[in-house]
Amino acid sequence: MAIGCKPTETEEQSEKRPNIVFIMADDHAYQAISAYGEGLNETPNIDRIAKDGAIFTRATVTNSICAPSRAVLLTGKHSFMNGKVDNIQPFDWEQDNFPKLMQANGYATALIGKIHLDGQPQGFDYSMVLPGQGNYYNPDFLINGEKKRIEGYVTDITTDLALDWLENGRDKEKPFVLLYHQKAPHRNWKPAPEYLTLYDDKEFTPPANFFDEETNYQGRGTAAREQEMEIDEIMRWGLDLMLEVDPYGDSTNLKGQLQRLNPEQLEAWRAAFDPKNAAFLKAYGQLDEKTLSLEKKREIAIWKYNRYIKNYLRTIKSVDDGVGEVLDYLEANGLAENTIVVYTSDQGFYLGEHGWFDKRFMYEESFRTPLLMKFPKEIKPGTSIKSLVQNLDFAPTFLDYAGINIPQEMQGESFRKLVSGESDVWRDAVYYTYYEYPAEHSVKRHNGVATDRYKLIHFYYDIDEWELYDLEKDPREMNSVYDDPAYADVREMMHKKFDEVRAKYGDSDANDKRFLDEYMEVYNRRNNK
């Protein structure tokens, strides 16, 4: 889509309420944004937001799983208050959300891309969303509720749709809110045709604790030992690693996945992956899993890590391209000065830390989420925010910028004054809950509280274990100090903080039992128990 050739709205927009472009990726780890300095990849367009505005180094989520995180974003309420505690329970669109309130107060509103919440989205003049998780190639979209299949690559399509709404779909007499949500880099990481061979010339070194499993997660508890998130053990040869035949001679489900591709897409796919797959099978084919040496197991694990991380980063390259197109559009059309642009993810993700992929835990890699934000009128370029903000805070922050009263039931806080530098007063702790167990990945139910230095986690239901981490001394969370006598005072302090924060937000053991009972009713029915 062609963008405007000259600014057209600068003078008008300068006196209006700000526009908002809220960009959310799915499972985009902060480690995979070059502005965070991890050195894993380059994201020059996402980095533009930090360069021209602010980067948050301790943004966190309240519940590290897709649909509940999005429900928190919309409602400004914890999962146990908005009702969407896991990916199974329905989401109630009838409750207030910030787009509804902005729509009612004169904003043009649109939701384009992934939302992963069943039902017809409410609060949007226009919605064009993926059903469920969506597909990377030739995806279906629900356009105001009606299904349509669109040929192409989902990230590019989502960007084109967002640009089209900005240019042709919105009422240009109104300020606007655009929720522009990408599917990528969600599992199972199918790159765009133009990036299928990106990083082929590079070998990635796994994180230092990649072989954490070999120590049986010493220093951690049952939850870390019993999860099912290991790249080496849990990733599937077809679904995740893009092999049609695994090295032990069995066929996989990849052939079925590839039926979605058209002939041109499939030709590009095979040209990129078939030689690499053949080389792997030649080196490791027909192996006996039971007799593999530790050295050989490590070789295969590192190969899996590289196949995973390269595809993951390839999908992010397309996301970054799209961010650049949207930023360019805003600048070319005189909208940049009066538009708040936010880039974030629905949660963090493991990129080999502890040997894992996926999210769910309150450990840092999934608890933290990337957050970058620019608004030239109020945010100085190069701002860095270390405070504990959460996805809980987006709804009240946007309402604050729009001059709309924040409903009392919203539990988040506007960080407008924090990011503008007008105030440095902020919360000293954040609260976390996770409910989806027993389920895929086997991450146990838990809740917890975190301060700028310490983190207390309670794993419950089929176990009753506490873990305490000193993030200053142990940023990778390799050793719980809960039973360390030297941390007795810290433990007592964190338990008090846990009780205080839990009471503040209205959580309780009764809530835990209610959501467990509701979940197990569905779980047992699905599993014929």
Side-chain angles (χ1 to χ4, degrees):
M1 174 189 150
I3 61 176
C5 60
K6 63 179 181 178
T8 58
E9 301 188 49
T10 304
E11 292 182 7
E12 277 187 29
Q13 288 292 321
S14 66
E15 302 302 322
K16 292 183 178 180
R17 291 178 290 173
N19 308 304
I20 297 169
V21 175
F22 183 83
I23 311 169
M24 177 179 276
D26 194 309
D27 294 343
H28 191 172
Y30 66 88
Q31 309 96 290
I33 293 178
S34 46
Y36 282 95
E38 297 288 326
L40 191 62
N41 63 330
E42 295 295 329
T43 51
N45 293 301
I46 297 171
D47 291 359
R48 285 165 61 184
I49 302 173
K51 180 181 178 182
D52 295 340
I55 184 168
F56 293 72
T57 59
R58 200 78 197 287
T60 66
V61 295
T62 62
N63 184 350
S64 185
I65 190 169
C66 299
S69 179
R70 295 162 190 273
V72 171
L73 151 72
L74 290 168
T75 64
K77 297 185 290 188
H78 274 279
S79 301
F80 50 84
M81 298 299 287
N82 67 49
K84 185 63 176 171
V85 298
D86 51 48
N87 280 339
I88 290 178
Q89 301 302 327
F91 176 65
D92 179 14
W93 279 103
E94 294 298 323
Q95 65 189 303
D96 268 346
N97 64 45
F98 81 84
K100 277 188 188 182
L101 296 170
M102 299 185 83
Q103 183 186 47
N105 282 272
Y107 270 77
T109 60
L111 168 60
I112 296 173
K114 181 176 179 180
I115 192 62
H116 199 202
L117 294 170
D118 292 339
Q120 178 63 34
Q122 295 186 24
F124 302 97
D125 303 329
Y126 178 76
S127 67
M128 189 164 185
V129 300
L130 295 164
Q133 298 287 2
N135 289 283
Y136 274 107
Y137 279 84
N138 309 320
D140 296 321
F141 279 86
L142 297 172
I143 308 172
N144 290 333
E146 296 187 12
K147 184 179 286 190
K148 178 182 179 181
R149 181 164 170 168
I150 301 178
E151 199 83 356
Y153 186 68
V154 67
T155 306
D156 300 337
I157 294 169
T158 303
T159 299
D160 290 344
L161 294 171
L163 290 169
D164 183 65
W165 184 80
L166 286 171
E167 180 66 15
N168 303 308
R170 65 186 172 96
D171 182 345
K172 293 186 179 180
E173 298 301 313
K174 297 180 177 181
F176 63 82
V177 176
L178 169 62
L179 274 61
Y180 160 47
H181 290 189
Q182 294 288 12
K183 168 184 170 61
H186 192 277
R187 189 184 189 187
N188 58 350
W189 315 296
K190 287 188 173 68
E194 63 268 31
Y195 294 129
L196 288 169
T197 59
L198 184 66
Y199 305 117
D200 273 3
D201 59 349
K202 181 176 176 62
E203 183 76 6
F204 287 89
T205 302
N209 58 4
F210 181 70
F211 292 107
D212 205 359
E213 182 187 16
E214 292 178 5
T215 70
N216 199 25
Y217 304 99
Q218 184 178 357
R220 275 62 52 83
T222 304
R225 291 192 295 272
E226 293 189 359
Q227 50 65 41
E228 295 179 353
M229 302 195 329
E230 292 102 340
I231 292 170
D232 185 29
E233 299 292 335
I234 301 302
M235 277 193 167
R236 303 174 192 173
W237 291 106
L239 177 68
D240 302 313
L241 299 170
M242 310 304 169
L243 286 171
E244 291 184 60
V245 177
D246 72 30
Y248 310 110
D250 296 324
S251 61
T252 72
N253 66 348
L254 181 64
K255 187 173 290 186
Q257 295 180 54
L258 295 180
Q259 290 178 0
R260 187 104 193 165
L261 280 62
N262 64 34
E264 184 179 356
Q265 293 164 345
L266 185 60
E267 182 180 3
W269 182 278
R270 292 207 173 282
F273 280 105
D274 283 0
K276 291 179 283 195
N277 291 348
F280 174 76
L281 292 172
K282 182 178 180 180
Y284 297 101
Q286 302 302 313
L287 296 175
D288 184 348
E289 284 184 277
K290 297 178 181 179
T291 60
L292 285 178
S293 66
L294 177 61
E295 180 183 8
K296 193 64 68 175
K297 286 181 179 178
R298 282 188 161 212
E299 285 180 17
I300 295 174
I302 291 172
W303 183 91
K304 289 180 177 180
Y305 166 77
N306 269 272
R307 174 56 61 93
Y308 158 52
I309 201 67
K310 289 179 183 182
N311 283 337
Y312 178 91
L313 297 178
R314 287 163 179 154
T315 67
I316 288 171
K317 185 67 172 69
S318 296
V319 174
D320 188 68
D321 289 347
V323 170
E325 291 184 57
V326 170
L327 293 177
D328 289 347
Y329 177 90
L330 296 175
E331 292 171 4
N333 287 275
L335 295 166
E337 183 71 17
N338 196 45
T339 299
I340 298 164
V341 179
V342 172
Y343 186 89
T344 190
S345 174
D346 50 355
Q347 64 263 317
F349 212 68
Y350 293 96
L351 304 184
E353 299 86 1
H354 308 291
W356 297 344
F357 69 107
D358 207 67
K359 56 252 183 183
R360 302 167 196 263
F361 275 112
M362 196 187 174
Y363 301 140
E364 284 294 284
E365 289 83 5
S366 49
F367 180 49
R368 279 182 58 184
T369 193
L371 176 55
L372 308 96
M373 178 178 180
K374 79 180 190 76
F375 183 38
K377 286 186 173 181
E378 294 190 15
I379 304 174
K380 293 180 180 178
T383 296
S384 179
I385 304 294
K386 299 178 182 178
S387 302
L388 288 161
V389 300
Q390 288 198 289
N391 54 349
L392 192 70
D393 301 322
F394 287 131
T397 298
F398 295 149
L399 293 176
D400 186 2
Y401 278 112
I404 299 170
N405 290 332
I406 301 168
Q408 189 172 1
E409 62 266 24
M410 284 191 176
Q411 297 177 301
E413 303 174 40
S414 169
F415 51 72
R416 180 180 182 178
K417 290 183 179 179
L418 181 70
V419 74
S420 70
E422 186 176 341
S423 173
D424 59 1
V425 177
W426 196 245
R427 63 167 71 93
D428 64 355
V430 289
Y431 184 59
Y432 181 87
T433 57
Y434 177 76
Y435 301 91
E436 194 163 304
Y437 177 87
E440 184 179 13
H441 297 302
S442 294
V443 174
K444 294 186 182 296
R445 290 171 178 256
H446 60 289
N447 48 32
V449 63
T451 67
D452 60 346
R453 176 169 178 175
Y454 300 107
K455 185 185 298 181
L456 179 69
I457 308 174
H458 182 215
F459 295 96
Y460 66 92
Y461 168 47
D462 59 342
I463 59 172
D464 182 11
E465 294 181 9
W466 294 85
E467 296 180 7
L468 176 66
Y469 294 95
D470 182 342
L471 299 175
E472 183 178 291
K473 294 183 176 180
D474 181 21
R476 299 300 180 188
E477 295 164 302
M478 299 294 288
N479 183 47
S480 170
V481 294
Y482 187 81
D483 295 319
D484 186 339
Y487 283 85
D489 291 343
V490 174
R491 182 174 65 238
E492 181 180 358
M493 179 268 291
M494 289 299 288
H495 270 285
K496 288 181 180 178
K497 184 63 66 178
F498 177 85
D499 292 340
E500 289 171 6
V501 174
R502 204 172 193 216
K504 171 186 175 181
Y505 290 121
D507 200 12
S508 63
D509 291 343
N511 275 346
D512 293 342
K513 184 179 186 307
R514 169 194 163 196
F515 293 122
L516 173 62
D517 291 345
E518 291 176 356
Y519 180 86
M520 292 306 298
E521 180 181 351
V522 177
Y523 178 84
N524 289 332
R525 185 167 64 247
R526 290 184 175 183
N527 291 277
N528 299 315
K529 293 184 178 181

